[in-house]
CSV table of all heavy atoms in Angstrom, one decimal:
chain,number,residue,atom,x,y,z
U,183,ALA,N,110.9,157.1,107.1
U,183,ALA,CA,110.4,156.2,106.1
U,183,ALA,C,109.1,155.5,106.7
U,183,ALA,O,108.9,154.3,106.4
U,183,ALA,CB,111.4,155.2,105.7
U,184,THR,N,108.3,156.3,107.4
U,184,THR,CA,107.0,155.7,107.9
U,184,THR,C,106.0,156.9,107.8
U,184,THR,O,106.3,158.0,107.9
U,184,THR,CB,107.1,155.3,109.4
U,184,THR,OG1,107.4,156.5,110.2
U,184,THR,CG2,108.1,154.2,109.6
U,185,PRO,N,104.7,156.5,107.7
U,185,PRO,CA,103.7,157.5,107.6
U,185,PRO,C,103.6,158.3,109.0
U,185,PRO,O,103.4,159.5,109.0
U,185,PRO,CB,102.4,156.8,107.4
U,185,PRO,CG,102.8,155.3,107.1
U,185,PRO,CD,104.2,155.1,107.4
U,186,GLU,N,103.9,157.6,110.0
U,186,GLU,CA,103.9,158.3,111.4
U,186,GLU,C,105.0,159.3,111.4
U,186,GLU,O,104.8,160.4,112.0
U,186,GLU,CB,104.1,157.2,112.5
U,186,GLU,CG,103.0,156.2,112.6
U,186,GLU,CD,103.1,155.1,111.5
U,186,GLU,OE1,104.2,154.9,110.9
U,186,GLU,OE2,102.1,154.4,111.3
U,187,GLY,N,106.2,159.0,110.9
U,187,GLY,CA,107.3,159.9,110.9
U,187,GLY,C,106.9,161.2,110.1
U,187,GLY,O,107.2,162.3,110.5
U,188,PHE,N,106.2,161.0,109.0
U,188,PHE,CA,105.8,162.1,108.1
U,188,PHE,C,104.8,162.9,108.8
U,188,PHE,O,104.8,164.2,108.8
U,188,PHE,CB,105.2,161.5,106.8
U,188,PHE,CG,104.8,162.6,105.8
U,188,PHE,CD1,105.8,163.5,105.3
U,188,PHE,CD2,103.5,162.7,105.4
U,188,PHE,CE1,105.4,164.5,104.4
U,188,PHE,CE2,103.1,163.7,104.4
U,188,PHE,CZ,104.1,164.6,104.0
U,189,GLU,N,103.9,162.3,109.5
U,189,GLU,CA,102.8,163.0,110.2
U,189,GLU,C,103.5,163.9,111.3
U,189,GLU,O,103.1,165.0,111.5
U,189,GLU,CB,101.9,161.9,110.9
U,189,GLU,CG,100.6,162.3,111.5
U,189,GLU,CD,99.6,162.8,110.4
U,189,GLU,OE1,99.7,162.2,109.3
U,189,GLU,OE2,98.9,163.7,110.7
U,190,ARG,N,104.5,163.3,112.0
U,190,ARG,CA,105.1,163.9,113.1
U,190,ARG,C,106.0,165.1,112.7
U,190,ARG,O,105.9,166.2,113.3
U,190,ARG,CB,106.0,162.9,113.8
U,190,ARG,CG,106.2,163.0,115.3
U,190,ARG,CD,106.9,161.9,116.0
U,190,ARG,NE,107.9,161.1,115.2
U,190,ARG,CZ,107.7,159.9,114.9
U,190,ARG,NH1,106.6,159.2,115.2
U,190,ARG,NH2,108.7,159.2,114.2
U,191,ASP,N,106.7,164.9,111.6
U,191,ASP,CA,107.7,166.0,111.2
U,191,ASP,C,107.8,166.0,109.7
U,191,ASP,O,108.8,165.5,109.2
U,191,ASP,CB,109.0,165.7,111.9
U,191,ASP,CG,110.1,166.7,111.6
U,191,ASP,OD1,109.8,167.6,110.7
U,191,ASP,OD2,111.2,166.6,112.1
U,192,PRO,N,106.8,166.5,109.0
U,192,PRO,CA,106.8,166.4,107.5
U,192,PRO,C,108.1,167.1,106.9
U,192,PRO,O,108.6,166.6,105.9
U,192,PRO,CB,105.6,167.2,107.1
U,192,PRO,CG,105.0,167.8,108.3
U,192,PRO,CD,105.6,167.1,109.5
U,193,ALA,N,108.6,168.2,107.5
U,193,ALA,CA,109.7,168.9,106.9
U,193,ALA,C,110.9,168.0,106.9
U,193,ALA,O,111.6,168.0,105.8
U,193,ALA,CB,110.0,170.2,107.7
U,194,THR,N,111.2,167.3,107.9
U,194,THR,CA,112.4,166.4,107.9
U,194,THR,C,112.3,165.4,106.9
U,194,THR,O,113.2,165.1,106.1
U,194,THR,CB,112.6,165.8,109.3
U,194,THR,OG1,112.8,166.8,110.3
U,194,THR,CG2,113.7,164.8,109.3
U,195,VAL,N,111.1,164.8,106.7
U,195,VAL,CA,110.9,163.7,105.7
U,195,VAL,C,111.0,164.3,104.3
U,195,VAL,O,111.7,163.8,103.5
U,195,VAL,CB,109.5,163.1,106.0
U,195,VAL,CG1,109.2,162.1,104.8
U,195,VAL,CG2,109.5,162.4,107.3
U,196,LEU,N,110.3,165.5,104.1
U,196,LEU,CA,110.4,166.1,102.8
U,196,LEU,C,111.8,166.4,102.4
U,196,LEU,O,112.3,166.2,101.2
U,196,LEU,CB,109.5,167.3,102.7
U,196,LEU,CG,108.0,167.0,102.8
U,196,LEU,CD1,107.1,168.2,102.9
U,196,LEU,CD2,107.5,166.1,101.7
U,197,ARG,N,112.6,166.9,103.4
U,197,ARG,CA,114.0,167.3,103.1
U,197,ARG,C,114.8,166.1,102.8
U,197,ARG,O,115.6,166.0,101.9
U,197,ARG,CB,114.6,168.0,104.3
U,197,ARG,CG,114.8,169.5,104.1
U,197,ARG,CD,115.7,170.1,105.1
U,197,ARG,NE,115.1,170.0,106.5
U,197,ARG,CZ,114.2,170.8,107.0
U,197,ARG,NH1,113.8,171.8,106.2
U,197,ARG,NH2,113.7,170.6,108.2
U,198,PHE,N,114.5,165.0,103.5
U,198,PHE,CA,115.3,163.7,103.3
U,198,PHE,C,115.1,163.2,101.8
U,198,PHE,O,116.0,162.8,101.2
U,198,PHE,CB,114.7,162.7,104.3
U,198,PHE,CG,115.3,161.3,104.2
U,198,PHE,CD1,116.6,161.0,104.4
U,198,PHE,CD2,114.4,160.2,103.8
U,198,PHE,CE1,117.1,159.7,104.3
U,198,PHE,CE2,114.9,158.9,103.7
U,198,PHE,CZ,116.3,158.7,103.9
U,199,TYR,N,113.9,163.3,101.3
U,199,TYR,CA,113.6,162.9,100.0
U,199,TYR,C,114.0,163.9,98.9
U,199,TYR,O,114.5,163.6,97.8
U,199,TYR,CB,112.1,162.4,99.8
U,199,TYR,CG,111.9,161.1,100.5
U,199,TYR,CD1,111.4,161.1,101.8
U,199,TYR,CD2,112.3,159.9,99.9
U,199,TYR,CE1,111.2,159.9,102.4
U,199,TYR,CE2,112.2,158.7,100.5
U,199,TYR,CZ,111.6,158.7,101.8
U,199,TYR,OH,111.5,157.5,102.5
U,200,ASP,N,113.9,165.2,99.3
U,200,ASP,CA,114.4,166.3,98.4
U,200,ASP,C,115.9,166.1,98.1
U,200,ASP,O,116.3,166.2,97.0
U,200,ASP,CB,114.1,167.7,99.0
U,200,ASP,CG,112.6,168.1,98.9
U,200,ASP,OD1,111.8,167.4,98.2
U,200,ASP,OD2,112.3,169.1,99.4
U,201,GLU,N,116.6,165.8,99.2
U,201,GLU,CA,118.1,165.6,99.0
U,201,GLU,C,118.4,164.4,98.1
U,201,GLU,O,119.2,164.5,97.2
U,201,GLU,CB,118.8,165.4,100.4
U,201,GLU,CG,118.9,166.7,101.2
U,201,GLU,CD,119.0,166.4,102.7
U,201,GLU,OE1,119.3,165.2,103.1
U,201,GLU,OE2,118.8,167.3,103.5
U,202,ARG,N,117.7,163.4,98.3
U,202,ARG,CA,117.9,162.1,97.5
U,202,ARG,C,117.5,162.4,96.0
U,202,ARG,O,118.1,161.9,95.1
U,202,ARG,CB,117.2,160.9,98.1
U,202,ARG,CG,117.8,160.5,99.4
U,202,ARG,CD,116.9,159.5,100.1
U,202,ARG,NE,116.8,158.2,99.4
U,202,ARG,CZ,116.0,157.2,99.7
U,202,ARG,NH1,115.2,157.4,100.8
U,202,ARG,NH2,116.0,156.1,99.1
U,203,ARG,N,116.4,163.1,95.8
U,203,ARG,CA,115.9,163.4,94.5
U,203,ARG,C,117.0,164.3,93.8
U,203,ARG,O,117.3,164.0,92.6
U,203,ARG,CB,114.6,164.1,94.6
U,203,ARG,CG,113.9,164.2,93.2
U,203,ARG,CD,112.5,164.9,93.3
U,203,ARG,NE,111.6,164.2,94.3
U,203,ARG,CZ,111.3,164.7,95.5
U,203,ARG,NH1,111.8,165.9,95.9
U,203,ARG,NH2,110.5,164.1,96.4
U,204,ALA,N,117.5,165.3,94.5
U,204,ALA,CA,118.5,166.2,93.9
U,204,ALA,C,119.7,165.4,93.5
U,204,ALA,O,120.4,165.7,92.5
U,204,ALA,CB,118.8,167.4,94.8
U,205,ALA,N,120.1,164.5,94.4
U,205,ALA,CA,121.4,163.7,94.2
U,205,ALA,C,121.3,162.9,92.9
U,205,ALA,O,122.3,162.5,92.4
U,205,ALA,CB,121.7,162.9,95.4
U,206,LEU,N,120.1,162.6,92.5
U,206,LEU,CA,120.0,161.7,91.3
U,206,LEU,C,120.6,162.3,90.0
U,206,LEU,O,121.1,161.6,89.2
U,206,LEU,CB,118.5,161.4,90.9
U,206,LEU,CG,117.8,160.3,91.7
U,206,LEU,CD1,116.4,160.1,91.2
U,206,LEU,CD2,118.6,159.0,91.6
U,207,GLY,N,120.7,163.6,90.0
U,207,GLY,CA,121.2,164.3,88.8
U,207,GLY,C,122.7,164.0,88.7
U,207,GLY,O,123.3,164.1,87.6
U,208,ALA,N,123.3,163.6,89.8
U,208,ALA,CA,124.8,163.5,89.8
U,208,ALA,C,125.2,162.0,89.6
U,208,ALA,O,126.4,161.7,89.6
U,208,ALA,CB,125.4,164.0,91.1
U,209,VAL,N,124.3,161.1,89.5
U,209,VAL,CA,124.6,159.7,89.3
U,209,VAL,C,124.2,159.2,88.0
U,209,VAL,O,123.3,159.7,87.3
U,209,VAL,CB,124.0,158.8,90.5
U,209,VAL,CG1,124.5,159.3,91.8
U,209,VAL,CG2,122.5,158.9,90.4
U,210,ARG,N,124.9,158.1,87.6
U,210,ARG,CA,124.6,157.5,86.2
U,210,ARG,C,124.4,156.0,86.4
U,210,ARG,O,125.0,155.4,87.3
U,210,ARG,CB,125.9,157.7,85.3
U,210,ARG,CG,126.2,159.1,85.0
U,210,ARG,CD,125.4,159.7,83.8
U,210,ARG,NE,125.5,161.1,83.7
U,210,ARG,CZ,124.7,162.0,84.4
U,210,ARG,NH1,123.9,161.5,85.3
U,210,ARG,NH2,124.8,163.3,84.3
U,211,PRO,N,123.7,155.4,85.5
U,211,PRO,CA,123.6,153.9,85.5
U,211,PRO,C,125.0,153.3,85.5
U,211,PRO,O,125.9,153.9,84.9
U,211,PRO,CB,122.8,153.5,84.3
U,211,PRO,CG,122.1,154.8,83.9
U,211,PRO,CD,123.0,155.9,84.3
U,212,ASN,N,125.1,152.1,86.1
U,212,ASN,CA,126.4,151.4,86.0
U,212,ASN,C,126.3,150.1,85.2
U,212,ASN,O,125.2,149.8,84.7
U,212,ASN,CB,127.0,151.1,87.4
U,212,ASN,CG,126.1,150.1,88.2
U,212,ASN,OD1,126.0,149.0,87.7
U,212,ASN,ND2,125.5,150.5,89.3
U,213,PRO,N,127.4,149.4,84.9
U,213,PRO,CA,127.3,148.2,84.0
U,213,PRO,C,126.3,147.2,84.4
U,213,PRO,O,125.8,146.5,83.5
U,213,PRO,CB,128.8,147.7,84.1
U,213,PRO,CG,129.6,148.9,84.4
U,213,PRO,CD,128.8,149.7,85.3
U,214,ALA,N,125.9,147.2,85.7
U,214,ALA,CA,124.9,146.2,86.1
U,214,ALA,C,123.5,146.6,85.5
U,214,ALA,O,122.8,145.8,84.9
U,214,ALA,CB,124.8,146.1,87.6
U,215,HIS,N,123.2,147.9,85.6
U,215,HIS,CA,121.9,148.4,85.0
U,215,HIS,C,122.0,148.2,83.5
U,215,HIS,O,121.0,147.8,82.9
U,215,HIS,CB,121.7,149.9,85.3
U,215,HIS,CG,121.6,150.3,86.7
U,215,HIS,ND1,122.6,150.9,87.4
U,215,HIS,CD2,120.6,150.2,87.6
U,215,HIS,CE1,122.3,151.1,88.7
U,215,HIS,NE2,121.0,150.7,88.8
U,216,ASP,N,123.1,148.5,82.9
U,216,ASP,CA,123.3,148.4,81.4
U,216,ASP,C,123.1,146.9,81.0
U,216,ASP,O,122.4,146.7,80.0
U,216,ASP,CB,124.6,148.9,81.0
U,216,ASP,CG,124.9,150.4,81.3
U,216,ASP,OD1,123.9,151.1,81.4
U,216,ASP,OD2,126.1,150.8,81.4
U,217,ALA,N,123.6,146.0,81.8
U,217,ALA,CA,123.5,144.6,81.4
U,217,ALA,C,122.0,144.1,81.4
U,217,ALA,O,121.6,143.4,80.5
U,217,ALA,CB,124.3,143.7,82.3
U,218,LEU,N,121.2,144.6,82.4
U,218,LEU,CA,119.8,144.2,82.5
U,218,LEU,C,119.1,144.8,81.3
U,218,LEU,O,118.1,144.2,80.7
U,218,LEU,CB,119.2,144.6,83.8
U,218,LEU,CG,119.7,143.9,85.0
U,218,LEU,CD1,119.0,144.4,86.3
U,218,LEU,CD2,119.5,142.3,84.9
U,219,ALA,N,119.4,146.0,80.9
U,219,ALA,CA,118.8,146.7,79.7
U,219,ALA,C,119.1,145.8,78.4
U,219,ALA,O,118.3,145.6,77.6
U,219,ALA,CB,119.2,148.1,79.6
U,220,ARG,N,120.4,145.4,78.4
U,220,ARG,CA,120.8,144.6,77.2
U,220,ARG,C,120.0,143.2,77.2
U,220,ARG,O,119.6,142.8,76.2
U,220,ARG,CB,122.3,144.3,77.4
U,220,ARG,CG,123.0,143.5,76.3
U,220,ARG,CD,124.5,143.8,76.2
U,220,ARG,NE,125.2,143.5,77.5
U,220,ARG,CZ,125.6,142.3,77.8
U,220,ARG,NH1,125.4,141.3,77.0
U,220,ARG,NH2,126.2,142.1,79.0
U,221,LEU,N,119.8,142.7,78.4
U,221,LEU,CA,119.1,141.4,78.5
U,221,LEU,C,117.6,141.6,78.0
U,221,LEU,O,117.1,140.8,77.2
U,221,LEU,CB,119.1,140.9,79.9
U,221,LEU,CG,118.3,139.6,80.1
U,221,LEU,CD1,118.8,138.5,79.2
U,221,LEU,CD2,118.4,139.2,81.6
U,222,GLU,N,117.0,142.8,78.4
U,222,GLU,CA,115.6,143.0,78.0
U,222,GLU,C,115.6,143.2,76.4
U,222,GLU,O,114.7,142.8,75.8
U,222,GLU,CB,115.1,144.3,78.7
U,222,GLU,CG,113.6,144.6,78.3
U,222,GLU,CD,113.1,145.8,79.0
U,222,GLU,OE1,113.1,145.9,80.2
U,222,GLU,OE2,112.6,146.7,78.2
U,223,ALA,N,116.6,143.9,75.9
U,223,ALA,CA,116.7,144.1,74.4
U,223,ALA,C,116.7,142.7,73.7
U,223,ALA,O,116.1,142.5,72.6
U,223,ALA,CB,117.9,144.9,74.1
U,224,ALA,N,117.3,141.7,74.4
U,224,ALA,CA,117.5,140.4,73.7
U,224,ALA,C,116.2,139.5,73.9
U,224,ALA,O,115.8,138.8,73.0
U,224,ALA,CB,118.7,139.7,74.3
U,225,VAL,N,115.6,139.6,75.1
U,225,VAL,CA,114.5,138.6,75.4
U,225,VAL,C,113.2,139.3,75.5
U,225,VAL,O,112.1,138.7,75.7
U,225,VAL,CB,114.8,137.8,76.6
U,225,VAL,CG1,116.1,137.0,76.5
U,225,VAL,CG2,114.8,138.6,77.9
U,226,GLY,N,113.1,140.6,75.5
U,226,GLY,CA,111.9,141.4,75.5
U,226,GLY,C,111.0,141.1,76.7
U,226,GLY,O,111.5,141.1,77.8
U,227,GLU,N,109.7,140.7,76.5
U,227,GLU,CA,108.7,140.6,77.5
U,227,GLU,C,109.0,139.4,78.4
U,227,GLU,O,108.4,139.2,79.4
U,227,GLU,CB,107.4,140.4,76.9
U,227,GLU,CG,107.0,141.4,75.9
U,227,GLU,CD,105.6,142.0,76.1
U,227,GLU,OE1,104.7,141.2,76.3
U,227,GLU,OE2,105.5,143.2,76.0
U,228,GLU,N,110.0,138.6,78.1
U,228,GLU,CA,110.3,137.4,78.9
U,228,GLU,C,111.0,137.9,80.2
U,228,GLU,O,111.1,137.1,81.2
U,228,GLU,CB,111.2,136.4,78.2
U,228,GLU,CG,110.5,135.7,77.1
U,228,GLU,CD,111.4,134.7,76.4
U,228,GLU,OE1,112.6,134.6,76.9
U,228,GLU,OE2,111.0,133.9,75.6
U,229,LEU,N,111.5,139.1,80.2
U,229,LEU,CA,112.2,139.6,81.4
U,229,LEU,C,111.3,140.7,82.1
U,229,LEU,O,110.8,141.6,81.5
U,229,LEU,CB,113.5,140.3,81.0
U,229,LEU,CG,114.3,141.1,82.1
U,229,LEU,CD1,114.7,140.1,83.2
U,229,LEU,CD2,115.4,141.9,81.6
U,230,LEU,N,111.2,140.5,83.4
U,230,LEU,CA,110.6,141.6,84.3
U,230,LEU,C,111.6,141.9,85.4
U,230,LEU,O,112.1,141.1,86.1
U,230,LEU,CB,109.3,141.0,84.9
U,230,LEU,CG,108.6,142.0,85.9
U,230,LEU,CD1,108.1,143.2,85.1
U,230,LEU,CD2,107.5,141.4,86.6
Side-chain angles (χ1 to χ4, degrees):
T184 61
E186 297 76 18
F188 181 59
E189 191 69 33
R190 212 173 25 250
D191 181 357
T194 298
V195 175
L196 293 174
R197 250 194 301 276
F198 176 63
Y199 287 95
D200 283 354
E201 284 158 15
R202 291 169 67 188
R203 192 176 308 108
L206 277 185
V209 299
R210 298 271 169 278
N212 67 58
H215 297 107
D216 297 338
L218 291 180
R220 184 158 55 86
L221 178 58
E222 183 182 305
V225 304
E227 310 227 316
E228 290 185 356
L229 170 68
L230 176 67

